[in-house]
Amino acid sequence: SGVHLAAWVLEGTGTSPRVFGYPTQGFVADTTTYCFDTYSLEEAHYLCALLNAPCVDHAIKDFQARGKGVVGQRHIHRTPFESCPILPFDQENPDHLELARLSREAHAIVASTELTGGVVKARRMARAAVDTYIQAIDVIACRLLRL
């Protein structure tokens, strides 16, 4: 239901995810959260990188519903897949592999960053911590998606 795209990779193996340092018993994608099972971590990170690219977030703005007053765009739903030519992951494509690598490294940095406050503040802190990765992802995403 937010204004901006925010994607992340959650590995389904190993220990359950921790939220603000507290253990959980699993993960549930609720009514405004989408979940996609991939065949590989590389595919998951490729898709995550594209969905977090600023050029994709910008490309969907005209297609998002608008809130009342000054709220602006809301609700992302399937908009990135309907308005951007996102291709299936190709493990032979160097750009796809580079996006996956950048996403993996950014995830490692965010995992080691202490995030405080509510969801909006934590998301802002996470993006700031990996800003150089997001910029590198955006260059590749713009080229791949011709945005």
Side-chain angles (χ1 to χ4, degrees):
S1 65
V3 175
H4 301 288
L5 281 166
W8 63 298
V9 174
L10 174 67
E11 290 186 52
T13 59
T15 59
S16 293
R18 297 180 74 79
V19 177
F20 294 109
Y22 296 100
T24 66
Q25 293 181 358
F27 178 78
V28 174
D30 73 2
T31 59
T32 59
T33 305
Y34 287 82
C35 175
F36 178 72
D37 290 327
T38 63
Y39 292 107
S40 71
L41 276 176
E42 295 295 306
E43 181 181 15
H45 281 288
Y46 157 76
L47 184 56
C48 184
L50 283 176
L51 291 176
N52 282 309
C55 65
V56 172
D57 191 55
H58 179 74
I60 69 170
K61 291 301 172 217
D62 289 341
F63 302 99
Q64 284 180 257
R66 289 198 158 302
K68 290 184 179 184
V70 294
V71 174
Q73 295 92 346
R74 306 293 293 167
H75 304 293
I76 293 157
H77 297 293
R78 292 188 39 82
T79 305
F81 302 102
E82 294 166 347
S83 59
C84 296
I86 297 175
L87 296 173
F89 176 67
D90 176 2
Q91 60 186 359
E92 302 297 320
N93 185 318
D95 283 334
H96 291 203
L97 295 174
E98 181 64 4
L99 287 171
R101 182 190 69 78
L102 290 165
S103 175
R104 275 192 322 276
E105 290 179 13
H107 275 73
I109 290 169
V110 170
S112 66
T113 302
E114 184 177 337
L115 303 175
T116 59
V119 172
V120 173
K121 183 179 178 187
R123 190 177 294 157
R124 190 176 302 127
M125 291 172 67
R127 283 190 176 271
V130 295
D131 184 62
T132 57
Y133 290 87
I134 292 172
Q135 289 177 35
I137 286 167
D138 200 45
V139 168
I140 298 168
C142 286
R143 182 176 66 244
L144 271 178
L145 303 175
R146 296 179 178 93
L147 296 175

